[in-house]
Amino acid sequence: MHRRTFLASAAAALASRHVPLSALVAPAGKLDRIGIELYAVRGAMRAGPERTLEALAKIGYTDVELLWSFKNFGQSIKEVKASLKATGLKAPSAHMAPETILTEWEQRCAEAKDLGMTYLTAPSLPSEANKSIEVVKLWANRFNSAGEVARRYGLWIALHNEPSHEKPIDLFLAETDPKLVRFQLDVGNLLMGGGDPLDFLQRHRARCWSFHLKNVVADRTKDTELAKGVFDLKTFLAAVPELDQKPCFVEQEGSGDELVSAKENYQYLRGLAW
């Protein structure tokens, strides 16, 4: 049956029950999978990684972003794999120190593949990259080389932005091969650095393949719960093409109670539709 015929028939059938036609039309967009960066619950993870992952799954999170830069809070790769299996959580990405690509990179890629991951993401470039164009270009070349290795494992290497990174990131993206290197846009960090996430997305739409979702207070000095911030996340998410293919992770870095905030942030995102 054609969609138009179906809607007309359904509308007629439901009219006698006073069901509005709008009830037949699903929202154009929503987040089917909602992840959380484990840095957002780092205190809880230090206290008990298995217990914390169980709590996140119970809240409703489907994905987590691992912290290899924190040595997985004392868990071995085998233990991480067991914890993910026990909770039903997926780990499409992990944050790692950028220097990881200089040592035992093939082994890290093999471990990531074993965990079912898609991305290995550096949270930042070394600090000297903020002061030197040549350092940015050096690391861009290193990422290109590491990307070639990662692709052989079916993985992507990516870079994430810190608040001070907008100008170096523009150069980094110009110097890296989009067939080898992708980008993780941290919305809140860009806001705190004085940037405009929507403008950045427009300029680098083809490079942004995963996201950190955070919101900020009015003066942009710190993050806050997603529902309490000043940035319009709904409009931003609606502007992301093929969003269902791009992992999104909540990352509120400052919270009075990490798991309470994690639950509030999940419920806010779960309620968004556009």
Side-chain angles (χ1 to χ4, degrees):
M1 182 183 291
H2 292 299
R3 183 174 184 272
R4 181 180 300 176
T5 304
F6 166 76
L7 287 176
S9 299
L14 291 172
S16 61
R17 288 186 283 165
H18 306 288
V19 178
L21 180 60
S22 60
L24 300 172
V25 182
K30 63 185 181 68
L31 283 176
D32 292 322
R33 303 190 65 84
I34 300 175
I36 186 167
E37 219 286 355
L38 292 180
Y39 189 76
V41 289
R42 58 197 179 278
M45 285 294 293
R46 288 190 184 106
E50 295 91 351
R51 183 173 65 250
T52 301
L53 292 175
E54 289 173 1
L56 294 172
K58 186 176 181 180
I59 287 170
Y61 284 102
T62 55
D63 303 327
V64 293
E65 186 167 52
L66 302 175
L67 275 178
W68 283 11
S69 51
F70 278 43
K71 298 182 179 180
N72 287 325
F73 301 97
Q75 287 190 308
S76 67
I77 295 297
K78 183 178 180 179
E79 289 170 329
V80 170
K81 189 174 183 178
S83 292
L84 294 174
K85 182 178 181 180
T87 58
L89 292 166
K90 302 295 184 183
S93 178
H95 267 207
M96 61 175 191
E99 292 81 6
T100 303
I101 66 177
L102 304 179
T103 59
E104 300 180 332
W105 180 233
E106 293 250 8
Q107 181 181 341
R108 301 286 85 80
C109 288
E111 291 170 347
K113 183 177 181 179
D114 184 44
L115 288 170
M117 292 166 56
T118 303
Y119 293 95
L120 285 170
T121 304
S124 65
L125 295 173
S127 58
E128 62 263 30
N130 288 322
K131 302 176 182 179
S132 169
I133 290 175
E134 294 309 314
V135 171
V136 175
K137 290 182 176 180
L138 171 65
W139 277 95
N141 184 58
R142 288 171 172 172
F143 269 65
N144 282 331
S145 297
E148 291 179 349
V149 176
R151 295 306 298 137
R152 293 203 296 268
Y153 286 85
L155 303 167
W156 292 94
I157 187 173
L159 181 68
H160 157 279
N161 60 296
E162 292 296 339
S164 60
H165 273 183
E166 187 169 10
K167 291 182 179 178
I169 289 301
D170 284 336
L171 176 60
F172 176 87
L173 292 177
E175 294 287 325
T176 49
D177 185 344
K179 295 180 180 178
L180 301 172
V181 180
R182 289 182 170 179
F183 187 69
Q184 181 180 72
L185 176 56
D186 187 311
V187 175
N189 281 355
L190 196 66
L191 289 164
M192 286 186 279
D196 179 346
L198 277 169
D199 173 69
F200 188 95
L201 181 67
Q202 291 292 338
R203 290 187 288 113
H204 300 297
R205 186 182 300 269
R207 302 301 298 276
C208 297
W209 280 86
S210 67
F211 300 91
H212 274 189
L213 303 181
K214 56 171 65 127
N215 215 327
V216 295
V217 298
D219 65 2
R220 298 189 179 195
T221 57
K222 61 181 181 180
D223 62 17
T224 187
E225 284 74 18
L226 298 180
K228 299 175 183 176
V230 297
F231 183 66
D232 185 354
L233 277 167
K234 179 178 176 178
T235 297
F236 176 81
L237 290 170
V240 179
E242 300 177 323
L243 182 61
D244 60 334
Q245 301 177 29
K246 300 173 181 179
C248 292
F249 303 100
V250 169
E251 194 201 24
Q252 183 182 347
E253 296 188 25
S255 172
D257 187 314
E258 293 174 344
L259 288 173
V260 169
S261 292
K263 184 174 183 179
E264 288 183 21
N265 290 329
Y266 172 82
Q267 291 174 337
Y268 170 79
L269 289 175
R270 194 64 183 163
L272 286 185
W274 52 88

